[in-house]
Amino acid sequence: MSTRRLALSVAVGLVLADSSVVVLALPEIYRDLDTSVTGVTWVLISFNLVIALAAVPSARFARRFGPGRSAALGLAVVAGGSLACAMASGLGPLIAARSVQAVGGAIAVTAALELLPSVVGGERRATVTWAAAGATGAALGPAIGGMLTEWVSWQSIFLVQVPIAILAGIPLLGIVREEMRTELIQRELRDPGRPHVAANVALGLVSAALAAALFLVVLLLIEGWRLTPIVAALVVTTIPIFALLGSRLAREVPNQKVRATAGAILICGGLAGLGLMPKAMIIFTIPPQALVGVGLSLVLSALTETALAGRSPQTIHGGWTISARHAGVVIGLLILTPIFTSAIDTQRDDAIAAGTAALLDSELPPLLKVELGDRISRQLGGAKGRVPVVGPAFDPPPGDLADQPAVDQLRATLEDQLDRAATQAFSSSFLLAALFALLSLIPIRMARRVDL
């Protein structure tokens, strides 16, 4: 692989990973910045919303200003925005810095598509490279973010992006110098025509579904089941592992309509499996995530290739695909977030009732029951909009050493109740996300005249 091709692939992967890289860090961010799940969701929404709005204008900018200069500028803005994210001391500054990242990302990722045909030797190969880099970045983002959060801090997620963006821009300096020397900047003289509406609508619906696969699974694992970010990262690597396996399968299925249909059905089935888990156990998340991973690689490649096939200039239509994907993520988050936060509050109330019954039935002394009841009530009552955690109510350990077995038993009972409550709270959101994937079959089917 040439240096320029690698640099452009890294640029695309970095930007599209950025839409999901903070997912595993969100619980740590909202605790550190003292906000809610709904508030911290805007760390994701702001990036995806801005990139959805900026993608097509950025593509036009790249064709007028020069793709080499645009890509370098975009990566510089990504680096600056990433540094600002790492230094943010509050939710507002973090959201503003994420928006800056998104503007730079939109410019870089669309300019990369303009540059790739000359680097890889054709528009078809450029489309495949561009789509594969984006899918890989989106799949790997959460796992990488979780590892950095566990080993260093959530700020490190953004700090490491600064040198990556700079290094990806260095091989492009030759193109920048050539553009500045010759001033042979291609002007937008042709009408780019209409975007492939059906493929882009399908991309939006699939992306709305994938928002659940990444965002909700992470919150369930960390907040609902109390796993550490590193363990949760290992669990969600199921998606990228099977996405990579699925990419090999995608090459064996040249018919894009078959690929897109199969991918959407697999994502739908995987999300439905997450919504119907019988028990709070990690093993039950693995097969559904595997289905989502394979489905992701099939449907994103097929729909992206279809949206660009036969359409020129590709940069403009690539901008439409980016816009559709990120708009879908925004719509998914805006619809699903209030649903699962409301379900969390309902399940929390049910867990409090069950916990009260377990406390009264325990063999603890009456005064210790009163003390623990007060601790548990304050801990669970302050968890509005969040998955409740009961552990801090038992620290420091109450009662005498003789009471400890009964205290441990009560704690285990309450945590089991909360595990089941959290699993149930996320169920309806997973099933609704599965419906998004199912609905994408409609525009896939409607695109009869273009080989999907």
Side-chain angles (χ1 to χ4, degrees), residues 205-207 209-210 213 261-273 288 291-300 430 433-434 436-438:
L205 288 168
V206 167
S207 297
L210 290 172
T261 302
I265 291 172
L266 287 172
I267 291 173
C268 176
L271 289 169
L291 293 179
V292 170
V294 175
L296 179 153
S297 64
L298 294 176
V299 72
L300 290 187
F430 281 127
F436 288 146
L438 191 63

Side-chain angles (χ1 to χ4, degrees), residues 242-253 297-298:
F242 278 86
L244 291 174
L245 294 175
S247 65
R248 297 191 175 190
L249 177 62
R251 291 194 289 269
E252 302 298 322
V253 185
S297 64
L298 294 176

Side-chain angles (χ1 to χ4, degrees), residues 364-383:
L364 295 170
L367 290 178
L368 187 53
K369 287 183 180 182
V370 172
E371 179 187 351
L372 269 175
D374 181 59
R375 287 194 193 184
I376 294 169
S377 177
R378 282 188 279 112
Q379 180 65 29
L380 297 184

Side-chain angles (χ1 to χ4, degrees), residues 1 5 9 113 116-132 305 314:
M1 181 183 292
R5 180 179 179 182
S9 297
L113 184 57
L116 274 169
S118 62
V119 173
V120 301
E123 288 192 341
R124 168 72 179 175
R125 293 181 65 187
T127 300
V128 172
T129 300
W130 191 72
E305 290 167 24
Q314 278 204 331

